[in-house]
Amino acid sequence: MSFASLGLNAQLVQAINECGYTEPTPIQTQAIPLVLKGGDLLAGAQTGTGKTAGFGLPMLQRLSETKAQPLANGRAPVRALVLTPTRELAAQVEENLRAYAKHSDLRTLAMFGGVSINPQMKALGRKVDIVVATPGRLLDHVSQRSIDLSRIEMLVLDEADRMLDMGFIRDIRRIIAKMPAKRQNLLFSATFSNEIKQLAEDLLNEPEHIEVATRNATADTIAQRFYGVDKNRKRALLSYLIGHNNWQQVLVFTRTKHGANRLAMQLDKDGLPAMAIHGDKSQGARTRALSQFKEGKLRVLVATDIAARGIDISELPHVVNYELPHVAEDYVHRIGRTGRAGIKGEALSLVCFEEKPLLKAIEKLIKQSAELEILPGYEPLPDSQQPPIEKPGANNRGRGNGGRGNGGGRGQNPRNANNKAPRSNRPNQPQRHGRHDD
Ligand code: AMP
């Protein structure tokens, strides 16, 4: 199967060759002809499957086949919009689309928060055909009237499940309301909750459905190992594994931003150059850490789930779960950073006593049993001697408040101190399960 046989034009095929792709991935084989036909699409696929080219290549071809009339103010209209949950994914998708558009006259622009809005405004003054944006920053532009969505011909919701998890549903609906009703809609999601199904039903018009194997079904390229270790010995074990095995490029996941910062600092002290990326870091710091890591100048990158979402590092050899995620699906997303495109990768998880229920949930999801290995010198205490498990509580949210009380004392929820209802009870407020990463 070749890209040309999927119906792509010579300019695009040339650009794909220059990217080094020799044959289409399964999602591309299925999605490209369907999107070229102009219908709506509901696709089950996650980052790492080649989905960006799956929607990006036919999008570029369709846009290049027609010329758009200028807006009333004489400017060229924005014709396609890709919405992504995170800044990193927006940057990466735009970078890919730009490479695919190299031999066409179509122009792309990434728009996300955490950086000054002014260069984005300036760029919107020039011809931009495709915008790749996170929802929050896009709405800032809409409210400042720097972008006009009234001529959008194609809309892509990328990682729609993650956008909903992050509480973007209202923002998405506000954005959609600014677009013409007649347009082509493509929705990509790794999972299909009732919320996603509802969104798909509202948004898509007689969509074609496609589904490619999620990474847990292709785990044969990822060697998964699980080490049993006490919580207070994890850092030492991690330094040992990196040093002893001479790993030069390791992506490490922690559950909290505070934990990511602390671990990066400790590894650095151990002589292992490390940096943390998470939602509280400036966009500049995140981009710098990521590019140093990609270039092989930084040995360890410590990341939280949201920050790492969409990171694409080719041939990343090692992923470590320093802490297991609370949501089992995140395990699959995390280990999907390695073993890409058929290259062997290794995913290690450090599992302490209190994480055993999380490990059970992961085993159920990946349909594999996880044998805990024990390394000499890092043996955990027997279960009977383990300290009692801390219950997640107000002081235990990884915000680093130094264990201070919540100020309640009389059972008062501090959030209610100003008589506002908690967010989840307020009408018309999106529920934010994760941090708003925009
Ligand atoms: P994506 O799932 O779109 O994030 O793509 C994951 C990675 O696969 C990116 O680095 C792409 O550049 C790469 N890629 C996409 N399509 C192909 C292909 N047909 N052959 C080889 N690599 C590809």
Side-chain angles (χ1 to χ4, degrees):
M1 178 68 71
S2 71
F3 282 100
S5 70
L6 295 175
L8 295 174
N9 65 36
Q11 283 178 340
L12 288 170
V13 171
Q14 189 187 344
I16 297 160
N17 281 336
E18 288 166 11
C19 287
Y21 306 173
T22 49
E23 55 178 310
T25 65
I27 188 89
Q28 291 161 3
T29 309
Q30 293 183 60
I32 291 171
L34 293 176
V35 179
L36 283 175
K37 276 201 287 181
D40 283 4
L41 180 69
L42 178 61
Q46 61 191 55
T47 298
T49 53
K51 68 182 163 55
T52 313
F55 66 75
L57 295 169
M59 168 187 276
L60 289 162
Q61 177 144 329
R62 282 182 61 75
L63 295 179
S64 67
E65 282 168 352
T66 55
K67 282 266 169 284
Q69 293 303 313
L71 292 162
N73 60 12
R75 283 186 184 173
V78 176
R79 303 173 65 192
L81 174 67
V82 182
L83 286 178
T84 73
T86 63
R87 303 165 185 172
E88 277 76 14
L89 187 60
Q92 189 172 302
V93 166
E94 191 272 337
E95 196 181 309
N96 286 351
L97 295 184
R98 193 162 9 108
Y100 307 148
K102 196 171 161 195
H103 302 294
S104 76
D105 62 357
L106 295 167
R107 295 291 166 262
T108 58
L109 176 66
M111 292 191 341
F112 43 77
V115 293
S116 163
I117 198 166
N118 296 332
Q120 296 170 2
M121 290 210 170
K122 220 166 148 193
L124 283 166
R126 299 188 286 269
K127 171 178 142 75
V128 174
D129 303 281
I130 303 171
V131 164
V132 185
T134 51
R137 177 53 66 92
L138 180 65
L139 279 173
D140 291 344
H141 281 281
V142 168
S143 62
Q144 300 202 29
R145 298 183 188 280
S146 44
I147 192 166
D148 178 341
L149 300 177
S150 69
R151 300 281 285 281
I152 294 289
E153 298 164 42
M154 294 179 83
L155 168 69
V156 179
L157 298 188
D158 198 4
E159 300 201 348
D161 49 349
R162 187 48 66 125
M163 286 201 276
L164 298 195
D165 283 349
M166 290 169 70
F168 282 134
I169 185 66
R170 256 184 95 227
D171 289 355
I172 291 171
R173 291 191 188 278
R174 283 174 61 201
I175 291 164
I176 290 172
K178 301 281 178 199
M179 294 183 193
K182 190 173 168 303
R183 52 167 206 269
Q184 185 176 12
N185 301 292
L186 316 175
L187 188 152
F188 287 79
S189 188
T191 56
F192 289 93
S193 62
N194 288 337
E195 225 184 342
I196 286 283
K197 287 184 194 146
Q198 186 61 52
L199 177 66
E201 205 163 285
D202 297 347
L203 179 74
L204 305 175
N205 184 18
E206 298 180 12
E208 300 271 4
H209 291 231
I210 58 174
E211 176 97 48
V212 293
T214 49
R215 298 207 69 89
N216 44 337
T218 59
D220 46 334
T221 59
I222 307 172
Q224 301 174 64
R225 303 180 78 160
F226 301 87
Y227 288 106
V229 61
D230 282 337
K231 198 172 172 177
N232 60 3
R233 297 279 289 148
K234 281 190 176 187
R235 209 263 310 132
L237 176 57
L238 178 61
S239 291
Y240 168 78
L241 288 169
I242 297 171
H244 179 76
N245 295 307
N246 196 20
W247 293 342
Q248 293 300 324
Q249 199 184 33
V250 194
L251 178 62
V252 179
F253 285 95
T254 61
R255 271 201 300 256
T256 66
K257 300 171 211 168
H258 182 60
N261 282 342
R262 198 175 40 200
L263 181 62
M265 250 165 50
Q266 290 168 331
L267 291 173
D268 224 52
K269 274 196 195 143
D270 283 352
L272 301 168
M275 282 192 200
I277 59 166
H278 52 66
D280 283 352
K281 294 263 180 192
S282 71
Q283 190 54 39
R286 285 159 68 158
T287 309
R288 248 189 332 272
L290 193 56
S291 63
Q292 286 191 21
F293 185 65
K294 280 187 180 185
E295 288 163 18
K297 292 181 189 153
L298 180 70
R299 204 157 163 193
V300 189
L301 187 67
V302 186
T304 56
D305 288 288
I306 287 177
R309 186 76 175 180
I311 292 180
D312 174 46
I313 303 155
S314 54
E315 302 179 39
L316 181 61
H318 306 286
V319 168
V320 176
N321 293 303
Y322 187 74
E323 289 154 335
L324 293 184
H326 279 302
V327 179
E329 280 81 9
D330 281 340
Y331 173 81
V332 178
H333 291 307
R334 288 176 175 190
I335 71 166
R337 311 294 102 207
T338 183
R340 293 186 150 205
I343 290 151
K344 281 252 183 265
E346 190 173 37
L348 286 186
S349 299
L350 309 188
V351 185
C352 67
F353 173 66
E354 66 186 55
E355 291 175 310
K356 288 190 177 168
L358 300 176
L359 186 63
K360 278 230 151 40
I362 290 168
E363 287 180 296
K364 205 166 146 208
L365 180 75
I366 63 174
K367 299 190 179 75
Q368 279 180 37
S369 66
E371 283 302 316
L372 281 186
E373 295 177 42
I374 309 289
L375 273 190
Y378 296 92
E379 297 87 349
L381 288 172
D383 288 1
S384 58
Q385 289 174 33
Q386 290 285 346
I389 294 175
E390 280 174 43
K391 287 268 178 291
N395 297 336
N396 192 14
R397 303 178 60 183
R399 292 227 164 247
N401 69 358
R404 272 176 263 128
N406 66 8
R410 282 177 240 135
Q412 188 193 22
N413 180 344
R415 254 198 185 154
N416 286 344
N418 57 4
N419 289 336
K420 268 191 191 164
R423 190 184 277 283
S424 54
N425 294 341
R426 261 186 262 158
N428 301 326
Q429 279 289 334
Q431 291 199 19
R432 304 223 188 270
H433 304 296
R435 187 188 159 272
H436 200 306
D437 200 34
D438 187 24

